[in-house]
Amino acid sequence: MSGISINEALKWACVQLERVSDSVTLDAEVMLQYVLGKSRTYLYTWPDRSLTSDQWHRFMAMVNERAKGHPVAHITGEREFWSLPLLVNKTTLIPRPDTEILVETALNLSLRANARVLDLGTGTGAIALALASERPDWQVTGVDKVPDAVTLAKMNRDRLKLELVEILQSDWFSAVAQRQFELVVSNPPYIDEQDEHLAQGDVRFEPRSALTAADEGFADLFYIATEARTHLLPGGYLLMEHGYQQARVLRQKMLELGYQDVATVRDFGSNDRCTLGRWPG
Ligand code: GLN
């Protein structure tokens, strides 16, 4: 035994992390849960239980990594998205809770039972796997340009036993050039390359290729909106996540490109977060 209780370990971690994180308690809880293999409820039901020496040393090592700025998801190697435990690494974006609104919006569309769905830039596979977990009959394909991300998404698919999800290496539509879908979704890179937030916090440890795009962050959003027109079945939808200040310009672009019923959905923090449009038919 280490002689250190759960409560003491959490308090110690919060002090260490005070200056590096604006979610110190959550960070400490997630890392301690990971080390103990227990739920959050357990931490507060048994605050006086002692950590073994091994647990305490592992926890200290993780907190020290976090104190250097590394994201918690990189330290534990996992992050939950849509209640699915996903493996995460440095090859791609860490799934964000904000993106769950895109999943929810997609699930609210009335598509046919075995609709074909494409997730562009799937990364960990988060969106594709969340959709497949809710709609087992949809034919979901997730693609990513980065080979290591493709490997990661396949690992997540296999661990979650969502074998029917197809994961392909593809530069946007390149590997599905001849195919059409009822729904195309994407959380593409959309941050302006000059954005000062890129030098702060967790995003410093994520690949730029998953975060930034040219033309004030619009390059990939516009490219996808343009190309999706030949990959959508008549009446199909395009649904993309974007920055909270990009909605108006993106809606305008989608209307110019011929999409109908173009609308923006806000996330749980009331920020404009994703925009969808229907391809006529
Ligand atoms: N929403 C993310 C962030 O602000 C960015 C995700 C993305 O570029 N697709 O960090």
Side-chain angles (χ1 to χ4, degrees), residues 11 15 31 38 43 48 59 111 130 167 182 187 217 271-272:
K11 277 196 175 149
V15 174
M31 291 188 284
K38 301 286 187 192
L43 304 182
D48 298 326
F59 183 61
L111 305 183
I167 308 280
E182 270 89 353
N187 174 17
N271 292 313
D272 285 342

Side-chain angles (χ1 to χ4, degrees), residues 68-217:
K68 288 184 216 153
H70 294 282
V72 173
H74 286 170
I75 298 168
T76 61
E78 59 188 40
R79 168 62 41 99
E80 205 167 272
F81 178 82
W82 200 263
S83 299
L84 303 173
L86 296 174
L87 299 174
V88 171
N89 62 32
K90 291 185 179 177
T91 64
T92 189
L93 196 78
I94 300 167
R96 314 280 205 262
D98 291 340
T99 303
E100 294 189 354
I101 197 67
L102 183 148
V103 172
E104 199 172 291
T105 305
L107 294 174
N108 283 335
L109 298 171
S110 44
L111 305 183
R112 62 183 180 90
N114 55 352
R116 277 170 283 182
V117 177
L118 175 65
D119 175 21
L120 294 166
T122 196
T124 57
I127 297 171
L129 298 172
L131 294 176
S133 74
E134 296 285 345
R135 296 282 184 274
D137 292 334
W138 283 5
Q139 302 174 54
V140 180
T141 300
V143 304
D144 206 286
K145 181 173 71 171
V146 178
D148 287 339
V150 172
T151 304
L152 180 66
K154 285 182 177 170
M155 269 159 55
N156 280 322
R157 171 192 65 191
D158 296 347
R159 281 179 94 218
L160 294 168
K161 306 208 180 337
L162 295 166
E163 297 86 355
L164 295 178
V165 176
E166 177 185 41
I167 308 280
L168 302 173
Q169 201 259 325
S170 178
D171 186 0
W172 299 132
F173 294 96
S174 68
V176 292
Q178 308 304 323
R179 290 161 64 175
Q180 291 188 307
F181 302 86
E182 270 89 353
L183 171 62
V184 173
V185 297
S186 184
N187 174 17
Y190 55 70
I191 301 177
D192 179 3
E193 287 159 335
Q194 309 304 326
D195 193 314
E196 59 193 25
H197 294 104
L198 293 165
Q200 300 161 14
D202 289 13
V203 288
R204 286 173 298 160
F205 298 89
E206 293 176 293
R208 284 292 164 101
S209 65
L211 291 167
T212 65
D215 304 334
E216 297 176 342

